[in-house]
Amino acid sequence: MAVFSRNFSRLELTISVPGLASSSSLPSSVRELDINQVPSEDEWITENMEDEEESSNGGPPRKKLRLTKEQSRLLEESFRQNHTLNPKQKETLAMQLKLKPRQVEVWFQNRRARSKLKQTEMQCEYLKRWFGSLTEQNRRLKREVEELRAIKVGPPTVLSPHGCEPLPASTLTMCAHCESVTTNNIDKGPTKTTTAAAPASTLSAKVTTPALQSRQPSAAC
DNA sequence: ATCTACGATTGGTTTACATCA
DNA sequence: CCTGATGTAAACCAATCGTAG
């Protein structure tokens, strides 16, 4: 195993998404979710109970310990500082809480597991949203392709490869190579090679649409 | 009755350390 | 003395159980 570092103080949510440099690109609603937040006061379990004896030797059904507010608060506080405890910390905390070290250990294990679960749920939620936005983007791009196809038939707006001034439509020229690349790309859909990556020397003009202009600055400009 | 939260148990893995040939 | 194999204990995790609210 050994996938996760054992000495972390917080669980980090890092999602790598192709095309995004870092998780800072996440929607703020996702970024602001913090599973390390202490629950609000009314989420605390209010039952108080100090059951010292174990009844696991086949006797009566085990009594469920409910931690007091104060015990939970201390455990949460400790968890925020460190997600794992060394034996000394465990012992100290157990004494402080009047619990057995094993109970503190179990609490930390459960807390880690449940944090991870929440984290996974958040990732899942985020990926769903991401999928939705990609679907939408895909839809828009397809529509743009349709527009470009239409422009090929109708009079295009043209930008000079050496400047940003629009040229008369009649000056549009495209070498045979670019022509075939453009046609192939449109037919095959997205590939790793984009027109932007094509050698500048092969571009003698750029056909633009308003949508493309906003996103793709001309290499010649 | 059903659901959820959560403390506890179980079984498997990893790691550090001790012992021995 | 060094080294590799083996055993053991402790800690962890994932899955699950079972109780209380």
Side-chain angles (χ1 to χ4, degrees):
Chain A
M1 243 197 311
V3 177
F4 298 107
S5 162
R6 297 202 161 178
N7 284 325
F8 46 74
S9 59
R10 291 171 69 84
L11 286 180
E12 299 293 341
L13 172 58
T14 308
I15 305 172
S16 303
V17 178
L20 287 179
S22 73
S23 60
S24 64
S25 315
L26 297 178
S28 59
S29 56
V30 172
R31 262 183 286 129
E32 280 160 19
L33 282 171
D34 187 352
I35 56 174
N36 297 291
Q37 284 290 322
V38 183
S40 61
E41 192 62 24
D42 55 2
E43 286 176 88
W44 293 111
I45 292 148
T46 51
E47 186 73 19
N48 185 355
M49 189 162 153
E50 298 240 339
D51 194 339
E52 279 292 313
E53 275 315 300
E54 263 179 310
S55 56
S56 57
N57 44 0
R62 68 181 184 218
K63 277 273 183 177
K64 188 178 172 76
L65 166 78
R66 307 294 295 187
L67 298 173
T68 64
K69 276 186 195 180
E70 184 58 16
Q71 284 172 322
S72 296
R73 191 190 63 76
L74 257 166
L75 283 163
E76 284 290 346
E77 200 173 295
S78 176
F79 184 78
R80 273 204 308 278
Q81 285 162 15
N82 238 323
H83 286 194
T84 51
L85 293 175
N86 61 37
K88 187 160 174 68
Q89 288 174 315
K90 195 202 299 176
E91 194 70 43
T92 310
L93 195 53
M95 286 227 304
Q96 220 175 333
L97 296 166
K98 298 192 175 100
L99 292 173
K100 295 172 190 162
R102 172 67 185 156
Q103 287 176 302
V104 174
E105 189 179 308
V106 166
W107 188 92
F108 267 74
Q109 272 176 18
N110 283 323
R111 185 68 174 79
R112 281 193 294 267
R114 281 153 193 164
S115 288
K116 196 174 171 185
L117 179 66
K118 273 186 198 164
Q119 203 184 7
T120 306
E121 283 169 357
M122 279 165 52
Q123 284 178 357
C124 182
E125 202 50 47
Y126 171 73
L127 288 172
K128 272 192 220 161
R129 274 188 256 169
W130 180 247
F131 174 76
S133 110
L134 283 179
T135 306
E136 171 62 22
Q137 199 181 343
N138 188 31
R139 208 175 51 77
R140 279 204 317 272
L141 287 169
K142 276 181 177 165
R143 210 170 45 215
E144 262 182 48
V145 166
E146 288 307 317
E147 282 172 23
L148 284 169
R149 279 187 170 143
I151 285 168
K152 264 190 84 175
V153 181
T157 308
V158 181
L159 286 183
S160 157
H162 308 298
C164 292
E165 298 83 14
L167 298 173
S170 59
T171 62
L172 169 66
T173 57
M174 196 179 273
C175 69
H177 177 257
C178 290
E179 178 72 40
S180 75
V181 165
T182 309
T183 311
N184 286 343
N185 279 350
I186 288 173
D187 290 341
K188 284 186 209 157
T191 64
K192 280 190 172 179
T193 313
T194 63
T195 49
S201 60
T202 65
L203 297 174
S204 56
K206 253 187 193 306
V207 179
T208 64
T209 67
L212 275 178
Q213 259 180 317
S214 65
R215 196 181 57 236
Q216 181 195 31
S218 164
C221 300

